[in-house]
Amino acid sequence: MFLTHLDCPRCGAQHDAHRLQNLCSCGSPLLARYDLAAVARAVEPAALAGRGADLWRYRELLPVREDRHVTTLGEGWTPLWHAPAYGALIGLERLLVKDEGLIPTGSFKARGAAVGVSRAVELGARHVAMPTNGNAGAAWATYAARAGIGATIAMPLAAPLITRQEVVAAGAELHLVDGLISDAGKLIAGLIAASDGRIFDASTLKEPYRLEGKKTMGYEIVEQLGWRAPDVILYPTGGGVGLIGIQKALVELRELGWLTGPAPRLVAVQSTGCAPVVAAFERGERRVRQWPDARTVAFGITVPAPLGDELILDALADSGGTAIAVDDADILADLREFGRTEGLLLCPEGAACLTAARLLRERGWLSATDEVVVLNTGAGIKYPGTVAHD
Protein backbone atom coordinates (compact mmCIF):
# COMPACT_ATOMS: atom_id res chain seq x y z
CA MET A 1 0.00 0.00 0.00
CA PHE A 2 1.45 3.35 -1.06
CA LEU A 3 -1.13 5.68 0.51
CA THR A 4 0.70 8.06 2.87
CA HIS A 5 -1.74 10.69 4.14
CA LEU A 6 -4.71 12.91 3.42
CA ASP A 7 -4.05 16.47 2.33
CA CYS A 8 -6.23 19.56 2.55
CA PRO A 9 -5.97 21.52 -0.72
CA ARG A 10 -7.30 24.67 0.96
CA CYS A 11 -5.26 25.10 4.15
CA GLY A 12 -2.47 22.55 3.60
CA ALA A 13 -3.17 20.52 6.75
CA GLN A 14 -2.29 16.83 6.67
CA HIS A 15 -4.57 14.16 8.13
CA ASP A 16 -4.20 10.52 9.10
CA ALA A 17 -5.26 8.30 6.21
CA HIS A 18 -5.66 5.26 8.43
CA ARG A 19 -8.79 6.25 10.29
CA LEU A 20 -12.22 7.37 9.09
CA GLN A 21 -12.13 11.01 8.02
CA ASN A 22 -14.62 13.50 6.66
CA LEU A 23 -13.83 17.15 5.90
CA CYS A 24 -10.82 19.13 7.08
CA SER A 25 -11.48 21.44 10.04
CA CYS A 26 -11.43 24.34 7.54
CA GLY A 27 -14.39 22.78 5.71
CA SER A 28 -12.52 21.56 2.62
CA PRO A 29 -12.63 18.06 1.14
CA LEU A 30 -9.49 15.98 1.70
CA LEU A 31 -7.36 14.38 -1.02
CA ALA A 32 -5.52 11.06 -0.76
CA ARG A 33 -1.79 11.25 -1.37
CA TYR A 34 0.59 8.44 -2.33
CA ASP A 35 4.32 7.80 -2.38
CA LEU A 36 4.45 8.05 -6.17
CA ALA A 37 8.21 7.56 -6.33
CA ALA A 38 7.76 4.21 -4.61
CA VAL A 39 4.89 3.33 -6.96
CA ALA A 40 7.12 4.07 -9.97
CA ARG A 41 9.78 1.73 -8.56
CA ALA A 42 7.25 -1.02 -7.84
CA VAL A 43 5.38 -1.18 -11.14
CA GLU A 44 5.69 -0.10 -14.76
CA PRO A 45 2.82 0.68 -17.15
CA ALA A 46 3.53 -2.39 -19.26
CA ALA A 47 2.87 -4.64 -16.26
CA LEU A 48 -0.75 -3.48 -16.10
CA ALA A 49 -1.59 -5.13 -19.42
CA GLY A 50 -1.64 -8.57 -17.80
CA ARG A 51 -3.98 -7.57 -14.99
CA GLY A 52 -7.75 -7.90 -14.71
CA ALA A 53 -10.00 -5.64 -16.78
CA ASP A 54 -11.33 -3.59 -13.88
CA LEU A 55 -10.29 -0.52 -11.93
CA TRP A 56 -8.35 -2.60 -9.41
CA ARG A 57 -5.62 -3.03 -12.04
CA TYR A 58 -4.37 0.30 -10.61
CA ARG A 59 -4.22 -1.08 -7.07
CA GLU A 60 -0.91 0.64 -6.21
CA LEU A 61 -2.70 3.96 -6.74
CA LEU A 62 -5.76 3.05 -4.70
CA PRO A 63 -6.23 3.31 -0.92
CA VAL A 64 -7.27 -0.21 0.11
CA ARG A 65 -4.53 -1.97 2.06
CA GLU A 66 -5.73 -5.59 2.15
CA ASP A 67 -7.33 -7.54 -0.69
CA ARG A 68 -9.84 -9.08 1.71
CA HIS A 69 -11.50 -5.68 2.07
CA VAL A 70 -11.94 -5.12 -1.66
CA THR A 71 -15.63 -4.98 -2.52
CA THR A 72 -16.05 -5.49 -6.25
CA LEU A 73 -18.53 -6.40 -8.95
CA GLY A 74 -16.02 -6.09 -11.79
CA GLU A 75 -16.34 -2.31 -12.16
CA GLY A 76 -14.15 -0.31 -14.54
CA TRP A 77 -12.28 -0.75 -17.83
CA THR A 78 -15.22 0.58 -19.85
CA PRO A 79 -14.85 0.97 -23.61
CA LEU A 80 -13.48 4.07 -25.30
CA TRP A 81 -14.67 4.13 -28.88
CA HIS A 82 -14.77 6.35 -31.95
CA ALA A 83 -18.08 8.02 -32.93
CA PRO A 84 -17.36 8.90 -36.58
CA ALA A 85 -20.90 9.49 -37.84
CA TYR A 86 -21.99 11.94 -35.17
CA GLY A 87 -18.51 13.45 -35.13
CA ALA A 88 -18.77 14.20 -38.86
CA LEU A 89 -22.13 15.91 -38.28
CA ILE A 90 -20.68 18.34 -35.75
CA GLY A 91 -17.27 18.78 -37.36
CA LEU A 92 -15.10 16.68 -35.05
CA GLU A 93 -13.02 14.05 -36.82
CA ARG A 94 -11.75 12.41 -33.64
CA LEU A 95 -14.74 12.24 -31.31
CA LEU A 96 -14.47 9.46 -28.73
CA VAL A 97 -17.00 8.22 -26.19
CA LYS A 98 -16.05 6.66 -22.84
CA ASP A 99 -19.15 4.60 -22.06
CA GLU A 100 -19.70 4.25 -18.32
CA GLY A 101 -23.16 2.77 -18.90
CA LEU A 102 -21.52 -0.67 -19.12
CA ILE A 103 -20.55 -0.77 -15.46
CA PRO A 104 -22.30 -2.40 -12.47
CA THR A 105 -25.41 -0.40 -11.46
CA GLY A 106 -25.31 1.26 -14.88
CA SER A 107 -23.29 4.38 -14.05
CA PHE A 108 -19.82 5.64 -13.24
CA LYS A 109 -20.96 6.01 -9.63
CA ALA A 110 -20.06 2.34 -9.13
CA ARG A 111 -16.38 3.30 -9.32
CA GLY A 112 -16.64 5.63 -6.35
CA ALA A 113 -18.84 3.21 -4.43
CA ALA A 114 -16.48 0.27 -4.94
CA VAL A 115 -13.44 2.10 -3.59
CA GLY A 116 -15.33 4.19 -1.04
CA VAL A 117 -17.13 1.21 0.50
CA SER A 118 -14.00 -0.93 0.45
CA ARG A 119 -11.94 1.64 2.32
CA ALA A 120 -14.77 2.52 4.74
CA VAL A 121 -15.12 -1.15 5.69
CA GLU A 122 -11.36 -1.51 6.08
CA LEU A 123 -11.37 1.45 8.48
CA GLY A 124 -14.22 0.02 10.54
CA ALA A 125 -17.43 1.57 9.18
CA ARG A 126 -20.52 -0.61 9.55
CA HIS A 127 -23.14 1.75 8.15
CA VAL A 128 -22.89 4.51 5.53
CA ALA A 129 -25.33 7.27 4.65
CA MET A 130 -25.58 9.83 1.86
CA PRO A 131 -27.86 12.10 -0.15
CA THR A 132 -28.03 11.45 -3.90
CA ASN A 133 -29.64 12.44 -7.17
CA GLY A 134 -30.16 8.72 -7.78
CA ASN A 135 -27.26 6.80 -9.30
CA ALA A 136 -24.75 7.34 -6.50
CA GLY A 137 -27.24 6.15 -3.91
CA ALA A 138 -28.04 3.09 -5.97
CA ALA A 139 -24.35 2.29 -6.30
CA TRP A 140 -23.49 2.80 -2.64
CA ALA A 141 -26.50 0.75 -1.53
CA THR A 142 -25.42 -2.04 -3.88
CA TYR A 143 -21.80 -2.11 -2.74
CA ALA A 144 -22.77 -1.77 0.91
CA ALA A 145 -24.91 -4.87 0.51
CA ARG A 146 -22.03 -6.64 -1.19
CA ALA A 147 -19.76 -5.72 1.73
CA GLY A 148 -22.33 -6.73 4.35
CA ILE A 149 -22.81 -3.30 5.91
CA GLY A 150 -25.84 -1.03 6.25
CA ALA A 151 -26.74 1.95 4.08
CA THR A 152 -29.15 4.86 4.42
CA ILE A 153 -29.93 6.81 1.25
CA ALA A 154 -31.96 10.00 0.75
CA MET A 155 -32.97 11.23 -2.69
CA PRO A 156 -35.40 13.71 -4.26
CA LEU A 157 -38.82 12.43 -5.25
CA ALA A 158 -38.00 13.46 -8.82
CA ALA A 159 -34.97 11.12 -9.04
CA PRO A 160 -35.17 8.40 -11.74
CA LEU A 161 -37.51 5.64 -10.55
CA ILE A 162 -35.05 2.85 -11.31
CA THR A 163 -32.48 4.31 -8.89
CA ARG A 164 -35.06 4.24 -6.11
CA GLN A 165 -35.79 0.59 -6.93
CA GLU A 166 -32.09 -0.28 -6.92
CA VAL A 167 -31.73 1.10 -3.40
CA VAL A 168 -34.71 -0.90 -2.18
CA ALA A 169 -33.51 -4.06 -3.92
CA ALA A 170 -30.15 -3.75 -2.14
CA GLY A 171 -31.91 -3.66 1.22
CA ALA A 172 -30.87 -0.11 2.11
CA GLU A 173 -33.00 2.35 4.06
CA LEU A 174 -34.50 4.85 1.59
CA HIS A 175 -35.80 8.34 2.36
CA LEU A 176 -37.57 10.37 -0.32
CA VAL A 177 -37.47 14.16 -0.11
CA ASP A 178 -39.75 16.67 -1.79
CA GLY A 179 -36.93 18.94 -2.91
CA LEU A 180 -33.37 18.88 -4.25
CA ILE A 181 -30.23 16.94 -3.30
CA SER A 182 -29.37 19.76 -0.90
CA ASP A 183 -32.62 19.04 0.97
CA ALA A 184 -31.75 15.33 1.02
CA GLY A 185 -28.39 16.33 2.45
CA LYS A 186 -30.02 18.12 5.37
CA LEU A 187 -32.05 15.00 6.18
CA ILE A 188 -28.93 12.81 6.10
CA ALA A 189 -27.00 15.27 8.28
CA GLY A 190 -29.72 15.03 10.90
CA LEU A 191 -29.73 11.24 10.87
CA ILE A 192 -25.96 11.09 11.21
CA ALA A 193 -25.94 13.60 14.07
CA ALA A 194 -28.49 11.49 15.93
CA SER A 195 -26.63 8.21 15.32
CA ASP A 196 -23.98 8.74 18.01
CA GLY A 197 -21.19 7.83 15.59
CA ARG A 198 -22.77 4.64 14.30
CA ILE A 199 -23.34 6.01 10.79
CA PHE A 200 -20.47 7.22 8.59
CA ASP A 201 -21.13 10.21 6.34
CA ALA A 202 -20.36 9.13 2.75
CA SER A 203 -21.79 12.26 1.12
CA THR A 204 -20.10 13.62 -2.02
CA LEU A 205 -16.54 14.73 -1.16
CA LYS A 206 -17.27 14.50 2.59
CA GLU A 207 -15.10 11.39 2.57
CA PRO A 208 -11.90 11.15 0.49
CA TYR A 209 -12.15 7.80 -1.24
CA ARG A 210 -15.10 8.06 -3.62
CA LEU A 211 -12.82 10.39 -5.57
CA GLU A 212 -10.14 7.70 -5.74
CA GLY A 213 -12.54 5.36 -7.51
CA LYS A 214 -13.66 8.06 -9.93
CA LYS A 215 -10.10 9.05 -10.85
CA THR A 216 -9.59 5.65 -12.51
CA MET A 217 -11.56 6.98 -15.49
CA GLY A 218 -8.54 9.22 -16.13
CA TYR A 219 -6.11 6.32 -15.82
CA GLU A 220 -8.16 4.25 -18.25
CA ILE A 221 -8.46 6.97 -20.88
CA VAL A 222 -4.69 7.44 -20.90
CA GLU A 223 -3.93 3.72 -20.93
CA GLN A 224 -6.51 3.02 -23.64
CA LEU A 225 -4.90 5.70 -25.84
CA GLY A 226 -1.48 4.08 -25.49
CA TRP A 227 -0.32 6.11 -22.47
CA ARG A 228 -1.08 9.50 -23.97
CA ALA A 229 -3.82 12.05 -23.32
CA PRO A 230 -6.51 13.34 -25.70
CA ASP A 231 -6.75 17.04 -26.48
CA VAL A 232 -9.99 17.62 -24.59
CA ILE A 233 -12.18 15.76 -22.08
CA LEU A 234 -15.79 16.87 -21.57
CA TYR A 235 -17.46 15.93 -18.30
CA PRO A 236 -21.06 16.46 -17.07
CA THR A 237 -20.56 18.33 -13.82
CA GLY A 238 -22.86 18.25 -10.81
CA GLY A 239 -20.87 17.45 -7.68
CA GLY A 240 -17.81 17.39 -9.94
CA VAL A 241 -16.09 14.38 -8.38
CA GLY A 242 -15.43 12.77 -11.76
CA LEU A 243 -13.84 15.87 -13.22
CA ILE A 244 -11.74 16.47 -10.08
CA GLY A 245 -10.74 12.81 -10.10
CA ILE A 246 -9.69 12.80 -13.76
CA GLN A 247 -7.51 15.86 -13.16
CA LYS A 248 -5.98 14.18 -10.09
CA ALA A 249 -5.25 11.06 -12.16
CA LEU A 250 -3.55 13.10 -14.88
CA VAL A 251 -1.34 14.87 -12.35
CA GLU A 252 -0.39 11.56 -10.71
CA LEU A 253 0.38 9.91 -14.06
CA ARG A 254 2.61 12.81 -15.08
CA GLU A 255 4.50 12.67 -11.76
CA LEU A 256 4.95 8.91 -12.23
CA GLY A 257 6.41 9.53 -15.69
CA TRP A 258 3.70 7.41 -17.28
CA LEU A 259 2.19 10.36 -19.18
CA THR A 260 4.16 12.78 -21.31
CA GLY A 261 3.14 15.37 -23.86
CA PRO A 262 0.41 18.00 -23.62
CA ALA A 263 -2.24 17.70 -20.92
CA PRO A 264 -5.90 17.64 -21.99
CA ARG A 265 -8.14 20.64 -21.53
CA LEU A 266 -11.03 19.80 -19.22
CA VAL A 267 -14.56 21.04 -19.83
CA ALA A 268 -17.24 21.20 -17.14
CA VAL A 269 -20.63 20.74 -18.78
CA GLN A 270 -23.78 21.92 -17.01
CA SER A 271 -27.39 22.68 -17.91
CA THR A 272 -28.72 26.21 -18.23
CA GLY A 273 -31.23 25.11 -15.58
CA CYS A 274 -28.44 24.53 -13.02
CA ALA A 275 -25.09 26.10 -13.85
CA PRO A 276 -23.36 27.36 -10.69
CA VAL A 277 -19.89 26.28 -11.88
CA VAL A 278 -20.32 27.97 -15.27
CA ALA A 279 -21.48 31.17 -13.60
CA ALA A 280 -18.49 31.20 -11.24
CA PHE A 281 -16.08 30.40 -14.08
CA GLU A 282 -17.43 33.26 -16.19
CA ARG A 283 -17.12 35.65 -13.23
CA GLY A 284 -13.56 34.54 -12.60
CA GLU A 285 -14.44 33.41 -9.07
CA ARG A 286 -13.20 30.38 -7.12
CA ARG A 287 -16.43 29.74 -5.22
CA VAL A 288 -19.93 29.12 -6.59
CA ARG A 289 -23.10 30.86 -5.55
CA GLN A 290 -26.21 28.83 -4.77
CA TRP A 291 -28.21 28.31 -7.99
CA PRO A 292 -31.88 29.25 -7.53
CA ASP A 293 -34.70 26.97 -8.66
CA ALA A 294 -32.33 24.31 -10.03
CA ARG A 295 -33.90 21.94 -12.54
CA THR A 296 -32.80 20.05 -15.64
CA VAL A 297 -33.62 16.89 -17.60
CA ALA A 298 -30.01 15.87 -16.87
CA PHE A 299 -31.05 15.11 -13.30
CA GLY A 300 -27.68 13.79 -12.18
CA ILE A 301 -26.08 17.23 -12.53
CA THR A 302 -28.78 19.10 -10.58
CA VAL A 303 -26.44 20.27 -7.81
CA PRO A 304 -27.14 23.90 -6.84
CA ALA A 305 -23.87 24.45 -4.92
CA PRO A 306 -21.24 21.68 -5.17
CA LEU A 307 -18.97 21.22 -2.15
CA GLY A 308 -15.97 20.71 -4.43
CA ASP A 309 -16.39 24.03 -6.24
CA GLU A 310 -12.82 25.20 -5.61
CA LEU A 311 -11.37 21.91 -6.85
CA ILE A 312 -13.56 21.95 -9.97
CA LEU A 313 -12.63 25.51 -10.86
CA ASP A 314 -8.94 24.84 -10.15
CA ALA A 315 -9.02 21.84 -12.50
CA LEU A 316 -10.48 23.98 -15.28
CA ALA A 317 -7.94 26.75 -14.75
CA ASP A 318 -4.95 24.42 -14.42
CA SER A 319 -5.84 22.53 -17.61
CA GLY A 320 -6.70 25.60 -19.71
CA GLY A 321 -10.25 24.30 -19.93
CA THR A 322 -13.65 25.92 -19.83
CA ALA A 323 -17.20 25.58 -18.51
CA ILE A 324 -20.34 25.65 -20.61
CA ALA A 325 -24.08 25.44 -19.95
CA VAL A 326 -26.42 23.84 -22.51
CA ASP A 327 -30.20 23.90 -22.91
CA ASP A 328 -32.37 20.88 -22.07
CA ALA A 329 -34.02 20.99 -25.50
CA ASP A 330 -30.61 20.71 -27.15
CA ILE A 331 -29.60 17.89 -24.81
CA LEU A 332 -32.62 15.82 -25.83
CA ALA A 333 -32.17 16.63 -29.52
CA ASP A 334 -28.51 15.59 -29.50
CA LEU A 335 -29.35 12.48 -27.49
CA ARG A 336 -31.80 11.49 -30.21
CA GLU A 337 -29.43 12.34 -33.06
CA PHE A 338 -26.57 10.40 -31.49
CA GLY A 339 -28.80 7.37 -31.15
CA ARG A 340 -29.84 7.67 -34.79
CA THR A 341 -26.27 7.97 -36.09
CA GLU A 342 -24.28 5.84 -33.67
CA GLY A 343 -26.86 3.45 -32.23
CA LEU A 344 -26.28 4.12 -28.53
CA LEU A 345 -28.87 5.61 -26.19
CA LEU A 346 -26.90 7.93 -23.92
CA CYS A 347 -27.91 9.16 -20.50
CA PRO A 348 -28.98 12.84 -20.58
CA GLU A 349 -25.83 13.87 -18.71
CA GLY A 350 -23.70 12.24 -21.41
CA ALA A 351 -25.83 13.84 -24.12
CA ALA A 352 -25.17 17.22 -22.51
CA CYS A 353 -21.50 16.69 -23.32
CA LEU A 354 -22.38 16.08 -26.98
CA THR A 355 -24.26 19.36 -27.06
CA ALA A 356 -21.30 21.08 -25.44
CA ALA A 357 -18.91 19.58 -27.99
CA ARG A 358 -21.12 20.74 -30.86
CA LEU A 359 -21.39 24.28 -29.50
CA LEU A 360 -17.69 24.55 -28.68
CA ARG A 361 -16.86 23.43 -32.23
CA GLU A 362 -19.27 26.04 -33.66
CA ARG A 363 -17.62 28.73 -31.52
CA GLY A 364 -14.10 27.72 -32.54
CA TRP A 365 -12.96 26.62 -29.09
CA LEU A 366 -12.58 23.11 -30.53
CA SER A 367 -10.85 22.48 -33.84
CA ALA A 368 -11.87 19.85 -36.39
CA THR A 369 -8.80 17.74 -35.61
CA ASP A 370 -8.93 17.89 -31.82
CA GLU A 371 -9.19 14.47 -30.19
CA VAL A 372 -12.21 14.92 -27.93
CA VAL A 373 -13.37 12.45 -25.27
CA VAL A 374 -16.99 12.67 -24.13
CA LEU A 375 -17.96 10.88 -20.93
CA ASN A 376 -21.29 9.06 -21.09
CA THR A 377 -21.67 8.63 -17.36
CA GLY A 378 -24.57 6.19 -17.32
CA ALA A 379 -26.84 3.85 -19.24
CA GLY A 380 -29.53 5.63 -21.24
CA ILE A 381 -32.05 2.90 -20.49
CA LYS A 382 -32.20 4.18 -16.90
CA TYR A 383 -33.91 7.32 -18.30
CA PRO A 384 -36.73 6.01 -20.53
CA GLY A 385 -38.51 9.35 -20.53
CA THR A 386 -35.79 11.06 -22.57
CA VAL A 387 -37.01 9.56 -25.86
CA ALA A 388 -40.61 10.26 -26.84
CA HIS A 389 -42.40 7.82 -29.14
CA ASP A 390 -43.83 9.54 -32.19
Side-chain angles (χ1 to χ4, degrees), residues 37-307:
V39 172
R41 292 191 297 269
V43 64
E44 296 182 353
L48 303 183
R51 295 184 177 181
D54 58 32
L55 65 80
W56 300 99
R57 69 197 282 114
Y58 308 111
R59 57 183 173 268
E60 289 86 356
L61 295 161
L62 293 173
V64 181
R65 180 187 296 273
E66 298 183 32
D67 288 346
R68 66 190 178 93
H69 292 127
V70 169
T71 303
T72 182
L73 291 166
E75 56 288 332
W77 203 247
T78 55
L80 178 68
W81 48 270
H82 187 208
Y86 185 83
L89 282 178
I90 66 172
L92 290 173
E93 300 171 6
R94 303 163 71 202
L95 179 65
L96 302 170
V97 175
K98 178 74 166 161
D99 187 12
E100 294 289 290
L102 298 176
I103 207 166
T105 76
S107 88
F108 78 116
K109 303 289 188 178
R111 293 180 185 266
V115 177
V117 167
S118 295
R119 186 58 173 160
V121 169
E122 185 166 60
L123 295 178
R126 300 305 303 161
H127 195 119
V128 295
M130 60 182 298
T132 178
N133 271 330
N135 278 318
W140 279 74
T142 298
Y143 281 82
R146 178 79 168 170
I149 66 172
T152 299
I153 309 295
M155 69 174 68
L157 282 167
L161 176 61
I162 183 59
T163 60
R164 183 188 312 178
Q165 294 169 330
E166 287 176 283
V167 170
V168 173
E173 179 183 342
L174 175 64
H175 297 266
L176 299 175
V177 176
D178 188 8
L180 300 172
I181 189 172
S182 51
D183 300 300
K186 293 173 186 175
L187 186 150
I188 289 294
L191 292 175
I192 291 171
S195 75
D196 195 27
R198 291 180 295 103
I199 300 178
F200 178 63
D201 190 349
S203 304
T204 302
L205 289 175
K206 288 189 177 180
E207 60 79 48
Y209 301 115
R210 178 193 305 211
L211 175 63
E212 295 303 286
K214 301 280 188 69
K215 76 177 181 183
T216 59
M217 291 183 289
Y219 294 157
E220 287 179 20
I221 289 169
V222 169
E223 184 178 0
Q224 288 169 327
L225 291 176
W227 298 105
R228 63 174 180 82
D231 295 303
V232 178
I233 299 174
L234 290 95
Y235 204 89
T237 304
V241 182
L243 186 143
I244 298 165
I246 288 172
Q247 175 71 349
K248 186 174 188 287
L250 294 168
V251 170
E252 290 173 346
L253 289 173
R254 190 169 296 280
E255 187 170 336
L256 284 164
W258 296 1
L259 173 63
T260 58
R265 293 172 285 164
L266 300 180
V267 180
V269 179
Q270 298 196 300
S271 164
T272 53
C274 183
V277 171
V278 176
F281 181 84
E282 292 176 345
R283 291 191 300 262
E285 298 176 354
R286 293 192 69 248
R287 301 304 305 265
V288 303
R289 303 177 191 176
Q290 180 89 11
W291 191 268
D293 193 29
R295 61 184 67 234
T296 171
V297 67
F299 197 79
I301 55 176
T302 314
V303 181
L307 178 63

Side-chain angles (χ1 to χ4, degrees), residues 261-351:
R265 293 172 285 164
L266 300 180
V267 180
V269 179
Q270 298 196 300
S271 164
T272 53
C274 183
V277 171
V278 176
F281 181 84
E282 292 176 345
R283 291 191 300 262
E285 298 176 354
R286 293 192 69 248
R287 301 304 305 265
V288 303
R289 303 177 191 176
Q290 180 89 11
W291 191 268
D293 193 29
R295 61 184 67 234
T296 171
V297 67
F299 197 79
I301 55 176
T302 314
V303 181
L307 178 63
D309 53 352
E310 294 169 285
L311 295 171
I312 297 167
L313 291 161
D314 284 349
L316 299 181
D318 292 347
S319 70
T322 192
I324 181 172
V326 298
D327 292 333
D328 278 8
D330 288 337
I331 292 173
L332 294 176
D334 284 311
L335 183 149
R336 190 83 176 251
E337 188 65 13
F338 191 85
R340 185 187 69 80
T341 56
E342 298 288 354
L344 178 68
L345 176 60
L346 301 178
C347 67
E349 296 81 12

Side-chain angles (χ1 to χ4, degrees), residues 160-162 335 345-346 348 379-389:
L161 176 61
I162 183 59
L335 183 149
L345 176 60
L346 301 178
I381 56 173
K382 298 186 81 169
Y383 303 82
T386 58
V387 180
H389 185 267

